[in-house]
Amino acid sequence: MFADKRNYMQGYLRVRLLGYAPERFLNLCANHGIFIWNLLYREDHYEFCISVRGFRQLRPIVRKTKTRIVILERHGLPFALYRYRKRKLFFGGIAACMAALYTMSLFIWNIDVSGNLHRTDSAIIKFLEENHVYHGIRKSKLDCVALEELLRSEYGDIIWASVKIQGTRLLIDLQENLASNTARETVTGKEPSDLVAAKDAEIYSIYTRQGMPLVKKGAVVKQGDLLVEGRIPIYNDSGELVNYRNCYADADVLGITSYAYQDIFPLAYEDKVFTGEEKNSYELRLFQKRFRLPFGENAFALSDTFTTELPVRLGESFYLPLVLVKEVSKEYRMEEKIYTKKEAEALAESKWKEFCEKLEQKGVQIIENNVMIVADGKICMASGEVKVIEPVGIRQDSAVTELPADTKKEGQETNESDGNDN
Amino acid sequence: MGKERRNRVKSNIVESLELPKDLMYGAVIVTVTGRTEALVENYRGIIEYTCEKIRLQTKGCQVEIRGKQLLIQYYTNDEMKVTGFIHEIIYHA
């Protein structure tokens, strides 16, 4: 296969060999290293293929063996080029195509972001666009190292970024710090602060690591009540208040709270029924411009449209600025329907379960629920209450309180005397 | 007498050292695939070639391939590939 390609590129001939001692001619060719293939015997002559370069070396051998050579066919690229030498537009087209391909390869046609979990691709691409990195930018204008630093400095939770150019794609690999949110709180929140109740609750458990706990297990608190105070009073031996130490209150406070749940929906509803009618329409997108192809208009009154984008690319990573967009419109009509009692109850139940799951995803523990589902007449109603255990403490900056005037004075004096001693 | 003895010594050496025989004796190698393809290595030259018969000179003997529509797919100084319908391969002393 490879030999065939090479022969085609270099050009070869099919020739006829006539004369008295053709075998001697063939042996001499082999001895001179002239490659001959597809050698065939005909009635009184031989035919074979020989490369152009080999053919040029034949003259002395032909003379020596008193044979004659007749060229039958010419094959290969050099002959084809010679034959089409007057077709200037053809060669111009090839050159233009090469030039276009080369020019296109100087730009970035695809930005691929991977490794991001919290940040969406579009957010990162938008940020890049604000910083003059966009689809269609010249590769030579890109500074990958600077871009990496930019990403890291802009997003605190991106701890590692790698930017590289592959073909016409810009590949961005990120590593996000998943523990950053909690870590930041502990690092930045060392100011004196209290924990207060986020909502009305009954305290289920309280474990204090730092601060003064003000409530006990079983206590009923209202929203805004102080749970753990960051201000710790310091008493002297005689039980008098000497000073306060303001600290960062830290505790796990779990409380029993209740959520009201109500969901009412009518039994009559409209449902989409797909008729099965479909229509395809196509669109071309070149750079930012859209060209609708003339066939396949969407003629339905009510329809859902599903869009598929096919980016045109060469090879693995050479994305061209051309996208073929296929839109499938599926016709539907609205039908009036009525839930049966069972259906309505099942629907209410599933909505209720969804509500509970959402609560549980927030990290609360459901301990009791009493929800009634009633479906009668025209509506279905689900209502009730769910009791959960959840963290109730939220942080609030503590008001740094002044000491009572006399104790303060005393404290200052002691401080002064301490200073003199030293 | 001397030549015979020299041959014996040579073959003893080749046998005991397990040297490749095609290199040491310059022996012809004929590899036949099915009935349609034959590869001849270590030949010296073409003596005769027609559609029914290819006669090759090798170091010790002549090899003749008989068949129908024989075609030399390619040949170089020491290797030749023959395709066609092979009837027989004959060694002439």
Side-chain angles (χ1 to χ4, degrees):
Chain A
M1 193 65 200
F2 176 72
D4 287 355
K5 287 259 167 59
R6 196 190 57 198
N7 289 333
Y8 182 82
M9 294 302 284
Q10 292 179 347
Y12 65 94
L13 306 163
R14 181 109 191 131
V15 297
R16 176 178 293 167
L17 176 69
L18 304 147
Y20 176 65
E23 282 88 359
R24 189 169 170 229
F25 173 90
L26 297 177
N27 286 328
L28 279 172
C29 281
N31 288 336
H32 282 80
I34 300 169
F35 191 66
I36 282 173
W37 69 98
N38 285 354
L39 175 61
L40 189 69
Y41 177 79
R42 302 256 188 218
E43 297 298 312
D44 56 344
H45 63 267
Y46 292 90
E47 281 179 21
F48 57 85
C49 294
I50 187 166
S51 68
V52 174
R53 195 190 295 166
F55 183 77
R56 294 214 173 107
Q57 299 171 0
L58 283 184
R59 188 179 289 266
I61 302 173
V62 168
R63 198 170 293 161
K64 195 183 272 178
T65 56
K66 294 197 174 73
T67 49
R68 246 170 4 102
I69 291 263
V70 181
I71 296 175
L72 299 177
E73 297 159 18
R74 295 173 174 88
H75 298 277
L77 192 64
F79 299 110
L81 286 180
Y82 183 75
R83 197 176 311 140
Y84 300 130
R85 67 192 178 282
K86 288 196 172 162
R87 304 190 179 183
K88 295 187 178 72
L89 273 180
F90 172 66
F91 289 109
I94 291 177
C97 181
M98 297 275 195
L101 208 60
Y102 173 72
T103 316
M104 297 288 232
S105 71
L106 293 176
F107 298 92
I108 293 289
W109 296 121
N110 179 270
I111 298 177
D112 184 69
V113 185
S114 60
N116 48 329
L117 295 170
H118 288 131
R119 314 271 171 198
T120 59
D121 285 4
S122 51
I124 289 171
I125 286 172
K126 201 172 173 193
F127 166 71
L128 291 175
E129 276 171 5
E130 283 164 6
N131 290 282
H132 311 294
V133 176
Y134 43 86
H135 288 90
I137 191 178
R138 278 193 70 152
K139 277 198 244 174
S140 54
K141 279 190 185 171
L142 277 177
D143 183 357
C144 291
V145 179
L147 206 57
E148 284 169 8
E149 271 174 23
L150 189 69
L151 279 167
R152 276 198 300 265
S153 59
E154 169 66 19
Y155 299 108
D157 55 348
I158 291 177
I159 51 172
W160 177 83
S162 150
V163 177
K164 62 183 172 188
I165 296 169
Q166 196 181 74
T168 59
R169 297 172 78 193
L170 183 67
L171 302 180
I172 299 177
D173 252 326
L174 302 173
Q175 184 72 53
E176 287 178 352
N177 187 4
L178 300 178
S180 65
N181 293 342
T182 51
R184 194 181 298 161
E185 196 182 328
T186 53
V187 169
T188 58
K190 288 298 183 192
E191 295 294 309
S193 56
D194 304 327
L195 286 179
V196 297
K199 52 176 74 173
D200 297 357
E202 183 188 336
I203 299 300
Y204 177 74
S205 70
I206 176 162
Y207 296 103
T208 312
R209 282 185 287 274
Q210 196 165 243
M212 264 305 271
L214 300 179
V215 291
K216 283 185 177 164
K217 183 180 172 181
V220 177
V221 295
K222 288 226 159 56
Q223 183 177 359
D225 283 359
L226 211 54
L227 300 178
V228 180
E229 199 177 14
R231 188 184 66 173
I232 302 169
I234 297 165
Y235 299 98
N236 62 11
D237 290 344
S238 51
E240 291 168 337
L241 182 64
V242 179
N243 205 347
Y244 288 118
R245 189 165 75 83
N246 286 305
C247 71
Y248 173 82
D250 188 14
D252 290 334
V253 188
L254 294 179
I256 301 170
T257 60
S258 62
Y259 284 86
Y261 177 78
Q262 192 171 39
D263 180 34
I264 304 173
F265 57 91
L267 292 183
Y269 68 103
E270 284 194 325
D271 194 20
K272 269 186 196 175
V273 180
F274 285 95
T275 58
E277 290 287 316
E278 279 187 19
K279 255 197 192 138
N280 296 341
S281 65
Y282 299 91
E283 200 179 85
L284 276 180
R285 206 170 67 210
L286 185 66
F287 298 102
Q288 304 295 331
K289 290 213 172 95
R290 295 164 153 254
F291 302 98
R292 183 163 281 279
L293 298 184
F295 45 89
E297 286 296 312
N298 181 3
F300 301 127
L302 290 170
S303 64
D304 276 357
T305 306
F306 301 83
T307 307
T308 317
E309 287 195 358
L310 293 169
V312 180
R313 62 178 188 178
L314 297 175
E316 188 62 34
S317 60
F318 189 170
Y319 281 80
L320 300 177
L322 184 68
V323 181
L324 179 67
V325 183
K326 182 188 178 190
E327 286 182 352
V328 182
S329 304
K330 294 186 176 177
E331 192 191 22
Y332 66 85
R333 60 166 188 271
M334 300 305 285
E335 274 189 6
E336 294 273 320
K337 286 191 179 174
I338 292 176
Y339 288 119
T340 63
K341 199 178 173 197
K342 266 189 183 170
E343 280 173 354
E345 279 174 4
L347 183 65
E349 177 94 23
S350 72
K351 280 185 176 181
W352 159 243
K353 275 197 177 137
E354 210 174 289
F355 175 76
C356 287
E357 273 169 21
K358 266 188 196 162
L359 276 182
E360 273 171 351
Q361 275 172 11
K362 278 198 264 174
V364 308
Q365 187 190 342
I366 295 172
I367 49 170
E368 191 183 317
N369 72 59
N370 37 19
V371 168
M372 295 267 290
I373 297 172
V374 187
D376 62 337
K378 288 185 175 174
I379 57 162
C380 175
M381 192 168 82
S383 63
E385 202 183 51
V386 52
K387 278 194 175 175
V388 301
I389 296 175
E390 65 176 333
V392 290
I394 55 165
R395 192 156 301 288
Q396 180 180 292
D397 290 340
S398 49
V400 178
T401 36
E402 297 286 310
L403 283 170
D406 48 341
T407 35
K408 197 176 173 186
K409 228 178 240 170
E410 233 169 68
Q412 276 176 345
E413 275 165 15
T414 36
N415 276 347
E416 272 169 21
S417 61
D418 279 346
N420 290 338
D421 285 343
N422 287 334
Chain B
M1 192 66 193
K3 194 180 177 186
E4 217 171 84
R5 197 175 156 197
R6 206 162 56 221
N7 277 349
R8 211 171 45 239
V9 169
K10 187 176 179 182
S11 74
N12 278 342
I13 291 170
V14 170
E15 291 288 331
S16 55
L17 294 179
E18 293 184 13
L19 296 169
K21 283 174 192 135
D22 54 326
L23 287 179
M24 297 317 293
Y25 298 134
V28 66
I29 302 172
V30 183
T31 314
V32 184
T33 312
R35 286 190 73 167
T36 57
E37 200 181 289
L39 183 73
V40 185
E41 290 165 81
N42 276 349
Y43 79 99
R44 287 286 166 84
I46 305 169
I47 297 173
E48 197 183 344
Y49 167 42
T50 65
C51 278
E52 282 86 33
K53 189 161 90 173
I54 297 176
R55 212 171 149 102
L56 302 173
Q57 180 67 49
T58 70
K59 195 184 177 191
C61 61
Q62 288 182 5
V63 176
E64 188 177 321
I65 300 172
R66 283 168 183 266
K68 274 196 296 193
Q69 292 168 354
L70 294 179
L71 169 85
I72 299 178
Q73 207 157 48
Y74 65 87
Y75 74 96
T76 63
N77 212 1
D78 51 12
E79 187 181 313
M80 171 186 288
K81 190 169 185 180
V82 179
T83 57
F85 193 75
I86 298 167
H87 287 158
E88 49 189 340
I89 298 173
I90 305 160
Y91 293 84
H92 298 281

